[in-house]
Amino acid sequence: MADEDHERPAPSDLAEEAGRSFAGMSLDDVKDHAFWETQPVGQLKPELDKSGPEGPIDDPMTVDEVKKEGYHLPPSFEWCTCDVTDKKVNDEVFELLDNNYVEDDDAMFRFQYSREFLKWVLQPPGYVKDWHLGVRVVGTGKLVAFITGVPAKLSVKGKKLDLAEINFLCIHKKLRSKRLAPMLIREITRRINLSGIWQAAYTAGVVLPKPIGTARYWHRSLNVKKLVEIGFTHLHSRMTMSQTIKFFRLDKKPATPGIRPMEDKDVPAVTALLNNYLKKFAVAPVFDEEETRHHLSMRDGVVYSYVVEDPDKPGKITDFVSFYSLPSTVIQSSGGHSTLRAAYSYYNVAGKADLTRLMEDALILARQKDFDVFNCLDLMDNAQFLKDLKFGIGDGNLQYYLYNWRLHNKLGPGDIGLVLT
Amino acid sequence: MPSDAERLAGVGVAVAAVGLTTAASFYASRPGPKRWTRWLFVGGAAAAYGAYSLATWLEDQKNEAARGGDVRDALETRKKETHRGAVSSADVPSSSDEIRASDPEPPARRSQMDQLLDAVADGYDDDLDADFDRAAKFMASTTDLRLTNDQKLRVYALFKQATFGRCDQPKPRLLDGLARHAKWTAWNELGELSRDDAKEAYVELVAELRRRTEADEGGDGDGTAGDGDEGTAVDGEGDALGGLGGPVFSRPRMPFDVGDAEGDAEGGAEGGAESIGAMDPLLEACRRGDVESLRRAANFGPLDLRLADECGRTALHWAADGGHVQVATALIKMGADVDAVDDDGQTALHYAATCERAEMCRLLLESGADPDAEDADGDTPNALGAVGLAMRSPGAD
Ligand SMILES: CC(C)(COP(=O)(O)OP(=O)(O)OC[C@H]1O[C@@H](n2cnc3c(N)ncnc32)[C@H](O)[C@@H]1OP(=O)(O)O)[C@@H](O)C(=O)NCCC(=O)NCCS
């Protein structure tokens, strides 16, 4: 019996090349991580893992000990701080991401974060401009790499941490595999450390040292005809389109009595509802009212939030649902469609209502807003409703990470209460 | 499905060759003068294909020998049936060899015949489909398989071949990422491997991987997978190998099986679509909008246009559903009944209206379809918007 494990009798340089080629997808043996193995994160190789109690991995440092000047970049590049409120810079960031950010494996779709979306997620209360980090080409000024941090408060197994949420790591396609990513990560870490923050949370599709938990995407068709036309999904070979359309059809209007768009006056009630709900998860954000106002107020085209006001007790908010808009470019545009309009489940709290019923309303509301698909991770209590509401399992895993914070055991998706946009 | 040693050996060699080939292809595509490596690439591909054919051939021999009395036999026999309608001559053989022995058509025709049979063979073996769906569902949900790169690539490639057929994606550029490149290469190398063969190979591979994982877990402490660490074994998805980084872009792993979901909801009463017999070639061609196959089939003799599938859907229903105007036009010309109803009392026009296919609505209405035909729920095409759609269709005046 042949055994795949015993192969690759290739000449050494060939083998080496192959080894590098497979970087990022190796699962058979623990892969080397030249950069991540130097960082205060859980390690995949047991021999590298510093044991200790749950908590910070690095010895405590003071801001004085943090390097004051930026790390050196290769001569033709320079750091810049990107002010996304500046129209020109916002356009540059939008374009960099639009052309170079995350794609599916078949290069059919690429995320297209909107300009408004970028302004929203990058400027929560207390945001630090310096943490919106770019790399430009000296001379031309072209923006070729980007990474961001925003401040957040997270509760990790009962401990409240002020940390940074890292997002939008993106390197121009022509500059890949040149070890620029580690430089961006080092530099943003330095800038964050300068504010006296020593922890970070981030997610990625790849397995790096070392996930604290893994969640899986599920997808609910809202406009299945379009989804089939653009190749996002396919019809089962024995199913007609007509049958499938009927199967996914939703009621025209949400059914929960008293459900309505969230308003500013709801902020205190929503904050209380959320914090009360989220405390049951091992890892979850803690919102103050300003943060709730920022993250969870209705913003057309960006984030959609709805509350249920008890019909019997006017003013009493019992439930909350929200989703954000993250379209993708259809790279090989077909059937006249150039954009996939995806809604992503954000934070949902079923107080009085049944969660499944509430999420069905969320689907209906998303359909009303002309979204094609509703995506949802299987974290928090979401696993409860995915099957009933006709979500199909996705091919993407999202890995959760904490920087400089040790956890002894990997969390299940149901322990995770954090959604990073 | 029992695997025999030869077949496994063949698949093993194929996998090894694919691995080598993939490695070589990266090497070859590296800028520089080492052109000779391209030959290694070609050689590897040839070896992989050769080994795979060998494995398939060995399997066929086995089946030939083992034939008799089992389910396979029944399936084979059915495969040999003409398939009501698509081709009307009495017994159409199932393999090209047999065609060569008995087919009166000139050589060019034979291969077209082959193509037609190939094209429709996919929806054919329902046991295989069920096995495949099970294997794919397992891969979609498992988190405890430890796979090597090549195994992952193999799983990926076979899955793609089985669900989409031949790789028709443009070759990714290297700067699109090496993982994607490797995946494309693995898929593309399966070439013309039929979807059924891919399904079969997939089912066996998954079974083999499961066996191995179980064996590993029993023995533990063998050097190769000695990490035993969940961090490296997390994504058992088999499809997305994970691009570099992300809020990851995810897509549904599998087409949604309405039958499955309804079966679940109703306590399994209905069973998935997988439990239904094979799809008729004529209906399959109409589902795909394959007007060429339809014409070729028609050349062999008159088609049975009243033929319906297990839900009462005729060729015209399938064509209307997919919005395949050319196919529908051809069917209507051949005399298809525009008012034929499925088990729910729906006509092709109901389908076209539900799917908002404006041009199809127009074609059907112009061909005399009844806009007021009531289905089992009392819905008429008109109420579903057929007439409005037809008026909005580009060709309407
Ligand atoms: C992710 C991306 C920035 C990586 O850049 P790259 O040029 O391929 O990689 P580099 O050579 O610069 O750096 C490689 C190092 O970065 C690490 N890395 C790669 N992707 C990473 C990610 N998403 N998060 C953190 N580290 C990452 C690698 O593991 C490697 O370190 P290691 O040797 O310790 O394993 C780039 O591929 C990209 O822009 N992709 C599209 C957008 C994207 O996926 N962004 C991630 C969003 S969080």
Side-chain angles (χ1 to χ4, degrees):
Chain A
M1 203 194 282
D3 188 336
E4 290 90 326
D5 291 336
H6 296 156
E7 61 176 42
R8 296 217 208 124
S12 62
D13 58 339
L14 191 78
E16 189 196 320
E17 182 71 16
R20 270 210 282 132
S21 303
F22 286 113
M25 26 183 258
S26 169
L27 284 183
D28 51 347
D29 43 23
V30 185
K31 173 172 135 356
D32 290 332
H33 288 281
F35 169 67
W36 282 109
E37 284 171 10
T38 66
Q39 299 296 301
V41 290
Q43 294 298 329
L44 296 171
K45 297 177 179 167
E47 68 274 20
L48 293 178
D49 219 359
K50 270 207 307 181
S51 61
E54 297 204 324
I57 296 172
D58 267 347
D59 297 334
M61 275 219 305
T62 62
V63 172
D64 286 344
E65 294 168 76
V66 179
K67 211 162 107 70
K68 292 291 166 316
E69 1 24 84
Y71 284 94
H72 284 294
L73 277 175
S76 41
F77 299 102
E78 63 192 3
W79 299 115
C80 69
T81 294
C82 297
D83 175 2
V84 288
T85 55
D86 177 329
K87 169 91 176 66
K88 183 166 162 282
V89 176
N90 192 318
D91 281 348
E92 287 177 305
V93 170
F94 173 82
E95 247 157 64
L96 175 72
L97 296 177
D98 188 25
N99 294 313
N100 300 280
Y101 205 43
V102 181
E103 299 177 3
D104 68 299
D105 289 318
D106 299 326
M108 292 174 72
F109 306 97
R110 183 166 52 240
F111 282 139
Q112 188 181 48
Y113 284 88
S114 70
R115 293 171 171 85
E116 286 309 308
F117 193 108
L118 291 171
K119 278 195 215 163
W120 169 55
V121 287
L122 294 181
Q123 300 181 93
Y127 80 93
V128 186
K129 268 206 183 118
D130 265 359
W131 299 4
H132 303 165
L133 176 61
V135 172
R136 290 185 188 277
V137 176
V138 175
T140 68
K142 186 178 163 66
L143 184 69
V144 292
F146 192 58
I147 190 169
T148 66
V150 293
K153 194 175 270 131
L154 225 60
S155 157
V156 180
K157 291 198 163 178
K159 288 215 175 64
K160 301 258 186 307
L161 303 181
D162 282 306
L163 49 60
E165 289 173 357
I166 305 296
N167 207 343
F168 299 112
L169 168 59
C170 182
I171 293 173
H172 194 285
K173 288 190 173 184
K174 295 216 164 107
L175 291 175
R176 299 274 168 90
S177 302
K178 299 188 190 311
R179 312 297 303 176
L180 191 52
M183 291 183 150
L184 285 159
I185 296 167
R186 282 206 172 91
E187 176 63 10
I188 198 153
T189 306
R190 187 188 71 81
R191 291 179 178 212
I192 291 167
N193 288 164
L194 277 177
S195 314
I197 303 270
W198 313 99
Q199 272 78 35
Y202 50 105
T203 55
V206 280
V207 176
L208 306 164
K210 179 185 175 175
I212 58 154
T214 305
R216 169 78 75 152
Y217 270 109
W218 289 66
H219 309 277
R220 205 305 181 171
S221 300
L222 301 175
N223 182 355
V224 68
K225 185 179 166 200
K226 175 170 166 187
L227 295 181
V228 168
E229 281 167 2
I230 61 178
F232 181 80
T233 186
H234 298 268
L235 283 184
H236 193 281
S237 62
R238 304 308 295 273
M239 222 85 71
T240 57
M241 176 66 83
S242 149
Q243 194 180 6
T244 312
I245 288 173
K246 280 189 253 169
F247 178 73
F248 284 121
R249 196 169 274 164
L250 292 159
D251 288 344
K252 290 260 174 305
K253 289 209 178 95
T256 309
I259 193 165
R260 60 162 175 83
M262 175 177 165
E263 293 168 30
D264 201 60
K265 63 174 191 211
D266 303 320
V267 165
V270 168
T271 310
L273 204 60
L274 259 171
N275 286 333
N276 184 44
Y277 174 66
L278 291 175
K279 64 177 191 249
K280 75 172 180 172
F281 301 105
V283 173
V286 182
F287 291 122
D288 64 24
E289 289 186 7
E290 266 322 289
E291 286 160 334
T292 302
R293 178 170 286 113
H294 177 86
H295 291 292
L296 295 164
S297 293
M298 188 86 167
R299 284 165 201 256
D300 202 32
V302 177
V303 57
Y304 298 85
S305 356
Y306 301 84
V307 294
V308 179
E309 183 172 340
D310 195 330
D312 303 330
K313 297 181 200 133
K316 176 144 180 59
I317 303 301
T318 54
D319 312 79
F320 174 76
V321 277
S322 58
F323 48 88
Y324 59 90
S325 164
L326 171 45
S328 285
T329 304
V330 181
I331 298 174
Q332 296 149 26
S333 160
S334 58
H337 304 296
S338 56
T339 306
L340 164 67
R341 293 173 47 87
Y344 284 73
S345 171
Y346 201 24
Y347 291 97
N348 311 303
V349 187
K352 203 170 154 213
D354 165 59
L355 182 62
T356 307
R357 189 49 257 180
L358 194 65
M359 290 312 293
E360 188 168 349
D361 283 350
L363 296 176
I364 293 167
L365 292 161
R367 179 76 199 111
Q368 284 182 352
K369 295 288 174 190
D370 213 22
F371 285 99
D372 302 321
V373 65
F374 192 97
N375 298 333
C376 186
L377 289 161
D378 60 359
L379 38 69
M380 295 190 258
D381 289 319
N382 297 352
Q384 274 178 29
F385 61 76
L386 294 172
K387 289 224 170 83
D388 286 349
L389 294 181
K390 303 172 183 175
F391 282 78
I393 191 164
D395 62 10
N397 270 335
L398 190 63
Q399 312 290 346
Y400 276 75
Y401 300 96
L402 285 177
Y403 187 89
N404 194 22
W405 196 264
R406 181 187 295 110
L407 287 183
H408 287 151
N409 297 309
K410 195 171 170 181
L411 305 174
D415 298 326
I416 301 173
L418 174 68
V419 178
L420 294 179
T421 47
Chain B
M1 226 164 277
S3 63
D4 54 270
E6 294 98 318
R7 181 166 167 73
L8 268 176
V11 172
V13 176
V15 169
V18 168
L20 227 172
T21 307
T22 317
S25 71
F26 285 122
Y27 195 63
S29 42
R30 213 166 58 159
K34 303 190 178 170
R35 291 274 163 145
W36 61 271
T37 51
R38 283 176 203 279
W39 292 107
L40 196 56
F41 170 73
V42 174
Y49 185 71
Y52 193 79
S53 323
L54 180 67
T56 321
W57 182 77
L58 283 169
E59 171 83 324
D60 286 345
Q61 299 300 303
K62 269 271 134 85
N63 287 337
E64 210 71 55
R67 199 163 283 166
D70 60 1
V71 192
R72 265 211 105 72
D73 198 6
L75 280 169
E76 284 305 323
T77 325
R78 268 208 288 131
K79 231 176 216 177
K80 285 184 183 172
E81 277 172 15
T82 308
H83 263 290
R84 310 163 280 173
V87 182
S88 65
S89 59
D91 37 28
V92 174
S94 69
S95 80
S96 52
D97 288 350
E98 287 169 275
I99 290 174
R100 245 154 243 139
S102 64
D103 192 349
E105 294 296 328
R109 262 291 158 70
R110 273 178 220 138
S111 75
Q112 286 181 347
M113 187 64 203
D114 265 355
Q115 278 175 24
L116 176 58
L117 285 169
D118 274 357
V120 299
D122 288 333
Y124 215 89
D125 183 342
D126 42 323
D127 275 7
L128 179 57
D129 279 351
D131 285 346
F132 175 74
D133 282 357
R134 258 195 299 280
K137 273 179 194 155
F138 169 77
M139 289 305 284
S141 59
T142 184
T143 52
D144 42 42
L145 278 189
R146 298 195 211 106
L147 304 186
T148 65
N149 295 325
D150 292 325
Q151 287 166 340
K152 288 200 92 182
L153 285 172
R154 182 79 184 157
V155 169
Y156 167 82
L158 287 172
F159 183 85
K160 285 295 206 192
Q161 191 85 9
T163 48
F164 294 82
R166 204 190 123 75
C167 174
D168 61 352
Q169 303 287 320
K171 183 180 171 120
R173 294 158 306 170
L174 264 187
L175 60 84
D176 288 332
L178 295 163
R180 180 180 302 153
H181 200 273
K183 291 170 67 181
W184 182 88
T185 307
W187 181 12
N188 191 50
E189 271 167 8
L190 294 179
E192 299 288 347
L193 179 71
S194 84
R195 289 173 64 179
D196 269 357
D197 286 344
K199 280 181 190 167
E200 205 166 307
Y202 181 92
V203 169
E204 287 208 17
L205 180 61
V206 171
E208 174 62 14
L209 294 172
R210 289 178 79 162
R211 273 197 294 280
R212 248 187 245 180
T213 306
E214 278 153 25
D216 271 8
E217 268 155 18
D220 219 344
D222 79 20
T224 48
D227 51 276
D229 179 285
E230 82 269 28
T232 57
V234 273
D235 61 341
E237 70 266 50
D239 193 3
L241 288 162
L244 276 188
V248 64
F249 189 98
S250 173
R251 270 194 287 172
R253 282 268 301 138
M254 325 234 319
F256 205 95
D257 189 341
V258 173
D260 249 11
E262 281 169 351
D264 278 357
E266 291 156 22
E270 200 157 323
E274 56 194 46
S275 63
I276 301 160
M279 184 143 183
D280 182 272
L282 168 63
L283 302 184
E284 172 66 14
C286 294
R287 180 180 81 86
R288 292 170 183 234
D290 186 351
V291 72
E292 278 312 305
S293 289
L294 181 69
R295 291 211 175 107
R296 278 200 301 271
N299 282 343
F300 282 94
L303 304 173
D304 177 5
L305 298 172
R306 277 166 316 176
L307 174 91
D309 65 12
E310 68 287 347
C311 300
R313 299 175 293 216
T314 64
L316 188 61
H317 279 104
W318 280 102
D321 188 73
H324 307 305
V325 174
Q326 277 193 326
V327 174
T329 309
L331 289 169
I332 293 169
K333 251 193 211 137
M334 288 182 227
D337 175 8
V338 288
D339 286 326
V341 291
D342 71 6
D343 293 353
D344 295 330
Q346 291 212 321
T347 63
L349 188 55
H350 280 100
Y351 283 39
T354 302
C355 301
E356 297 176 41
R357 307 214 182 269
E359 221 184 315
M360 184 64 68
C361 287
R362 189 165 66 93
L363 170 68
L364 290 167
L365 285 167
E366 285 175 2
S367 309
D370 179 5
D372 300 316
E374 283 192 11
D375 68 9
D377 297 331
D379 286 330
T380 66
N382 198 4
L384 296 172
V387 177
L389 281 161
M391 288 188 318
R392 268 190 280 133
S393 111
D397 39 7

